[in-house]
């Protein structure tokens, strides 16, 4: 090799190694979602709007993002031609092209987005659970989950009941609130802070066995249930599947029955206090301070009005893991305003210690309606007759986080609460909502790096900075 050629090689190699790492930038507006844009690193032009990220100020670990497997979601997907089904499934579950969700919720028996009411054992007084069966789930939920697993075999699934078998409730019915959409008689109406579950030993023992049977049945299908949340919204008396519990009675069930049963059966599934939907610390404290119950409780899950409780729980019980279990589902608007509202929820939960965040209905048909009549939002809408698929603004919002923020990342501090940032072993991810109604040049500072960008009005922006 000549001296001249040698010097050229050295210079080229030095140049390549001295180049700044490529920063990814994805931007979404109401009219132009998911646009990949270019960043010029090491910009020096001063701007009035400065966003600073502090990589050394590390906060809570992030366990992941996800949604819920619901029967009506699978029905909507199955209404599509096979090739379109795969496009939707890829958009949700693929680790590169899709949302890259890593943690999911599922119901134990019917929830409000089931096709109709069912539990895994409606044979009255079957305390030995001899008639327990997940046969119903083989029609919809298991195929839905199996498809997700084909994209990501390592996904985590946790489960929660909306209602126990109806014969375990004092009104012998799945609902709590009489309405035209159910056949609950007026005398069967429940009330908040009055437990509907029959608090007798044989019922409590049978219900703990019910949980155990569920976990084992799913394991036999190749699906690991990583955790259970003991009751969906234990304070809410609904016209759909529901069951009210008092804090004291939940503590009794967890500490005296469910926890010991899991322990004796050597089940690996964690037990969570969830899903909390009221802002009252005083309804959580009696459970997490109960000596028998506390030893089994891994964390607390929050949704809806529970957002008022998470700051208090995080400050009072910092050792507990925290989860946002069901994003507020709106009323079927599926518009940009819904995505902006959900971004505010993401900020609130992560800024108060949440380790993970769940969307609710990933997919629904064009009506968005549950079997019990509530019209709600979804990430993806499927028109059941025209087969048109619409990716709603909340789909892109969730993807702005989940496609880039990997499990085992950590939240890090930023200079503004309107921005969320996360640090993994190889990158820093910044998600920022530019709420102004005009374009604005912004300087982003990350440690010793900085770059300038022009943010479109009312836009979600994700930056990925290699480290």
């Amino acid at each position: 090799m000549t001296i001249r050629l040698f010097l050229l090689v050295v210079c080229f190699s030095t140049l390549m190694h001295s180049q700044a790492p490529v920063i990814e930038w994805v931007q979404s507006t109401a009219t132009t979602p998911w646009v990949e844009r270019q960043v010029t690193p090491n910009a020096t032009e001063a701007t009035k709007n400065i966003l600073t990220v502090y990589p050394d100020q590390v906060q809570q670990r992030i366990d992941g993002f996800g949604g819920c497997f619901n029967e009506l979601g699978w029905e909507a997907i199955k209404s599509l031609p096979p090739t379109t089904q795969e496009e939707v499934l890829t958009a949700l579950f693929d680790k590169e092209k899709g949302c890259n969700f890593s943690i999911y919720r599922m119901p134990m028996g019917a929830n409000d987005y089931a096709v109709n009411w069912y539990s895994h054992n409606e044979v009255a007084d079957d305390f030995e659970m001899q008639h327990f069966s997940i046969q119903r789930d083989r029609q919809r939920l298991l195929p839905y989950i199996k498809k997700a697993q084909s994209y990501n075999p390592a996904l985590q699934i946790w489960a929660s009941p909306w209602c126990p078998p109806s014969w375990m409730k004092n009104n012998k019915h799945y609902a709590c609130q009489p309405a035209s959409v159910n056949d609950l008689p007026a005398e069967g109406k429940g009330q908040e802070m009055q437990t509907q579950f029959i608090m007798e030993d044989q019922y409590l023992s049978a219900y703990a066995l019910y949980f155990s049977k569920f976990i084992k049945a799913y394991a036999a299908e190749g699906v690991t249930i990583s955790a259970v949340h003991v009751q969906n919204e234990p304070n809410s008396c609904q016209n759909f599947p529901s069951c009210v519990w008092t804090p004291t009675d939940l503590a009794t069930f967890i500490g005296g029955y469910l926890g010991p049963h899991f322990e004796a059966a050597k089940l690996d599934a964690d037990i969570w206090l969830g899903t909390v939907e009221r802002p009252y610390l005083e309804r959580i404290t009696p459970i997490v301070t109960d000596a028998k119950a506390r030893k089994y409780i891994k964390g607390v899950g929050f949704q809806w009005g529970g957002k008022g409780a998470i700051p208090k729980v995080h400050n009072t019980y910092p050792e507990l893991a925290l989860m946002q279990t069901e994003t507020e589902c709106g009323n079927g608007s599926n518009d940009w305003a819904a995505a902006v509202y959900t971004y505010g929820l993401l900020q609130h939960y992560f800024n108060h210690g949440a380790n993970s965040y769940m969307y609710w209905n990933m997919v629904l048909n064009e009506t968005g309606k549950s079997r019990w009549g509530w019209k709600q939002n979804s990430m993806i809408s499927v028109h059941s007759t025209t087969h048109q698929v619409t990716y709603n603004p909340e789909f892109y919002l969730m993807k702005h986080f989940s496609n880039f923020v990997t499990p085992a990342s950590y939240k890090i501090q930023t200079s503004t609460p309107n921005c969320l940032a996360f640090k993994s072993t190889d990158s820093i991810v910044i998600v920022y909502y530019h709420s102004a109604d005009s374009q604005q040049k912004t300087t982003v500072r990350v440690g010793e790096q900085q770059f300038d960008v022009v943010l479109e009005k009312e836009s979600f922006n994700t930056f990925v900075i290699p480290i």
Side-chain angles (χ1 to χ4, degrees), residues 68 105-111 158-163 207 211 214 225 227-233 274-275 303 325-326 360:
C68 187
R105 183 182 191 181
M106 71 166 297
M108 290 176 58
N111 62 10
W158 61 273
S160 60
W162 268 243
C163 183
Y207 198 32
F211 275 79
F214 179 85
I225 302 300
V228 294
H229 292 228
V230 180
Q231 172 64 50
N232 177 75
E233 299 184 347
T275 58
Q303 59 195 53
T325 49
E326 178 188 307
W360 175 221

Side-chain angles (χ1 to χ4, degrees), residues 28-305:
S28 293
T29 68
T31 55
T32 55
W34 208 256
V35 177
E36 295 183 7
R37 304 196 63 182
Q38 297 295 316
V39 169
T40 303
N42 301 319
T44 57
E45 183 177 351
T47 61
K48 293 181 179 179
N49 192 39
I50 299 174
L51 170 62
T52 305
V53 175
Y54 305 98
D56 295 333
Q57 295 186 28
V58 178
Q59 299 170 346
Q60 76 268 24
R61 174 190 163 107
I62 303 302
D63 294 328
F65 297 83
C68 187
F69 294 111
N70 286 331
E71 286 196 329
L72 290 185
W74 185 243
E75 289 285 299
I77 292 171
K78 291 298 287 181
S79 72
L80 294 168
T83 54
T84 313
Q85 289 183 34
E86 289 302 325
E87 290 171 6
V88 169
L89 293 165
T90 299
L92 282 174
F93 304 126
D94 190 85
K95 298 184 75 172
E96 298 296 331
K97 301 175 185 177
C99 286
N100 188 28
F101 284 164
S102 57
I103 182 169
Y104 297 85
R105 183 182 191 181
M106 71 166 297
M108 290 176 58
N111 62 10
D112 48 326
Y113 272 81
V115 171
N116 49 36
W117 159 249
Y118 74 100
S119 80
H120 295 296
N121 187 357
E122 281 298 295
V123 178
D125 300 332
D126 181 13
F127 298 109
E128 300 299 322
M129 288 291 140
Q130 294 180 359
H131 294 89
F132 180 94
S133 173
I134 62 166
Q135 185 59 36
R136 164 68 174 259
D137 289 359
R138 294 190 177 96
Q139 299 176 43
R140 300 176 182 88
L141 293 180
L142 273 166
Y144 201 175
I145 292 167
K146 291 289 189 179
K147 274 294 185 181
Q149 285 181 318
S150 70
Y151 288 89
N152 179 8
L155 59 83
Q156 292 186 55
I157 298 174
W158 61 273
S160 60
W162 268 243
C163 183
S166 59
W167 54 273
M168 293 185 174
K169 292 176 63 179
N170 53 35
N171 69 358
K172 307 300 182 184
H173 197 280
Y174 67 79
C176 177
Q177 180 72 36
S180 61
V181 293
N182 61 45
D183 58 356
L184 177 65
E187 59 269 23
K189 181 179 180 179
Q191 185 174 333
E192 186 165 342
M193 293 299 287
Q194 289 187 7
T195 297
Q196 289 188 298
F197 192 89
I198 300 172
M199 294 297 295
E200 297 176 9
D201 179 77
Q202 59 184 349
Y203 288 90
L204 291 161
S205 296
Y207 198 32
L209 179 58
Y210 182 87
F211 275 79
S212 174
K213 288 263 191 180
F214 179 85
I215 292 168
K216 290 178 179 178
Y218 263 79
E221 298 288 337
V223 177
T224 299
I225 302 300
S226 63
V228 294
H229 292 228
V230 180
Q231 172 64 50
N232 177 75
E233 299 184 347
N235 300 282
S236 295
C237 191
Q238 306 282 20
N239 61 23
F240 48 80
S242 50
C243 186
V244 176
W245 294 73
T246 65
T248 301
D249 287 340
L250 270 179
T252 295
F253 177 56
I254 295 170
Y257 295 88
L258 188 63
H261 185 95
F262 276 30
E263 198 169 51
K266 295 181 169 56
L267 297 178
D268 291 332
D270 293 325
I271 296 173
W272 284 60
L273 171 58
T275 58
V276 175
E277 86 291 24
R278 293 288 185 267
Y280 312 122
L281 181 64
E282 58 269 26
R283 296 192 187 179
I284 297 171
T285 297
I287 307 171
V288 299
T289 59
D290 180 275
K292 291 183 178 179
R294 178 64 187 91
K295 64 179 287 192
Y296 299 112
I297 295 172
K298 167 74 173 182
V300 185
F302 304 87
Q303 59 195 53
W304 290 87

